[in-house]
Amino acid sequence: MGSNHAHGHGHGRLTATGRHRGRLVGVLAITGTVMLVQVAGALASGSIALLADAGHMLTDSAGIALALVAALLAARPATAKRTFGLARAEILAAALNAAVLFGLGAYVLYEAAVRLASPAPPHLATGSMLVFGVIGLLGNLASMLVLFGVQGDSLNLRGAFLEVVTDALTSVGVIAAALVAHLTGFTRADAVVAVLIGLLIVPRALKLLRAAVDVLLEATPAHLDLQEVRAHLLAVPHVHAVHDLHAWTVTSGLAALSAHVVIDDECFTDGHAPQLLDVLQERLAERFDLHHATLQLESPAHAQHEQPAHA
């Protein structure tokens, strides 16, 4: 006897990124506008840092647009060939965003090293550089406010939030470099700040990439301890053993679990098995927030025919 305990609506409507598409659209509009302003500022001030910041925001805009496209794909209904629809597209987008973030961080570190080893850059219009750096910071702070409350709901939302944070740090770096260059003439300050920003970007990008790869490799969700899940199921009366226990993440906000549960023979003869199945699934939902659990109920005799290759 097996059962799949799930909600009656499509998987796409469960995805966290899909629920917050409006926020991503707002952040995309803010980021795109600030990017264009910073390009103008870079041309007006001659600041390479501002131009690099604009390029950074262009990359982030592309990443957010990709997340939106993925959310739309994830909202498409499931089919016989794709039983979870295209929900996993969100994770692919998150992995790509993380890779782009890592590449950007590595480039920032490389460019900073080149500038520190090179002769001083040409004179900057530090006043214009400062004004446009402040505009960039204000735009990034607005985007951070839009995403702050929901950035933990999805890998794509987390990625978008981290990208906005790095944009804000870059803007702070532009402001700091402009002030230092204006007040002291030390024009290498922008490269020093760039190193600090790069050292913040790289580990965060790697963390996001690892989380996305874990989902793609169907690793056990980070919030689940399978030993605790097994013990919780074994504590239910009439349950003898739990094997072939697997848990994985379909996409952000949608974890799934499957298991074979060995129960008393009389549960099948007295008609108690369906009620026991309800109890098991309710416990998984209430204790572990697992609403997509497939359980196969077995008699002790049937368990002897199972392959011993799984936990």
Side-chain angles (χ1 to χ4, degrees):
M1 174 181 288
S3 177
N4 188 4
H5 185 65
H7 297 289
H9 49 71
H11 298 299
R13 294 173 63 183
L14 293 174
T15 60
T17 303
R19 291 196 299 268
H20 300 298
R21 285 196 300 265
R23 291 177 182 265
L24 286 174
V25 170
V27 171
L28 181 60
I30 294 171
T31 303
T33 300
V34 172
M35 177 196 68
L36 294 175
V37 171
Q38 286 193 319
V39 169
L43 295 175
S45 66
S47 168
I48 298 177
L50 264 178
L51 191 59
D53 195 14
H56 185 193
M57 298 193 78
L58 176 61
T59 302
D60 292 349
S61 296
I64 294 170
L66 181 62
L68 285 169
V69 171
L72 291 174
L73 290 175
R76 297 182 65 179
T79 67
K81 290 186 177 181
R82 294 187 175 92
T83 56
F84 283 100
L86 294 173
R88 190 59 67 86
E90 288 190 83
I91 304 303
L92 292 173
L96 183 57
N97 283 347
V100 170
L101 262 180
F102 178 79
L104 177 65
Y107 172 76
V108 166
L109 291 175
Y110 169 77
E111 184 65 21
V114 169
R115 293 186 182 186
L116 287 172
S118 298
H123 175 74
L124 300 175
T126 54
S128 298
M129 182 179 173
L130 179 61
V131 169
F132 286 103
V134 170
I135 292 174
L137 178 60
L138 292 176
N140 292 321
L141 290 176
S143 295
M144 288 170 62
L145 288 175
V146 171
L147 293 175
F148 182 77
V150 300
Q151 55 99 13
D153 293 354
S154 154
L155 288 177
N156 277 314
L157 290 169
R158 192 189 315 170
F161 182 77
L162 288 177
E163 288 167 354
V164 170
V165 169
T166 57
D167 280 334
L169 290 173
T170 305
S171 294
V172 169
V174 170
I175 293 170
L179 288 173
V180 171
H182 179 74
L183 296 175
T184 69
F186 181 62
T187 53
R188 295 180 186 271
D190 60 338
V192 173
V193 172
V195 170
L196 297 176
I197 294 172
L199 292 175
L200 289 174
I201 293 174
V202 170
R204 290 176 177 175
L206 288 174
K207 182 179 179 180
L208 179 62
L209 183 60
R210 178 180 178 181
V213 169
D214 279 348
V215 173
L216 294 175
L217 294 179
E218 298 193 341
T220 301
H223 71 284
L224 283 182
D225 181 341
L226 287 190
Q227 294 304 319
E228 184 182 356
V229 173
R230 187 192 305 276
H232 207 67
L233 294 177
L234 288 172
V236 176
H238 305 291
V239 174
H240 286 272
V242 176
H243 62 96
D244 279 86
L245 178 60
H246 303 282
W248 66 98
T249 301
V250 179
T251 189
S252 297
L254 179 58
L257 177 141
S258 67
H260 293 205
V261 182
V262 181
I263 62 176
D264 290 334
D265 282 326
E266 56 264 29
C267 292
F268 296 102
T269 58
D270 64 10
H272 181 64
Q275 289 83 2
L276 180 58
L277 180 61
D278 289 341
V279 170
L280 292 169
Q281 291 180 325
E282 286 171 3
R283 287 202 172 195
L284 289 172
E286 293 173 0
R287 176 65 180 83
F288 302 101
D289 197 27
L290 283 166
H291 300 277
H292 200 96
T294 302
L295 303 178
Q296 178 172 309
L297 301 185
E298 302 173 346
S299 68
H302 177 78
Q304 298 174 5
H305 299 283
E306 293 288 341
Q307 296 292 329
H310 302 289

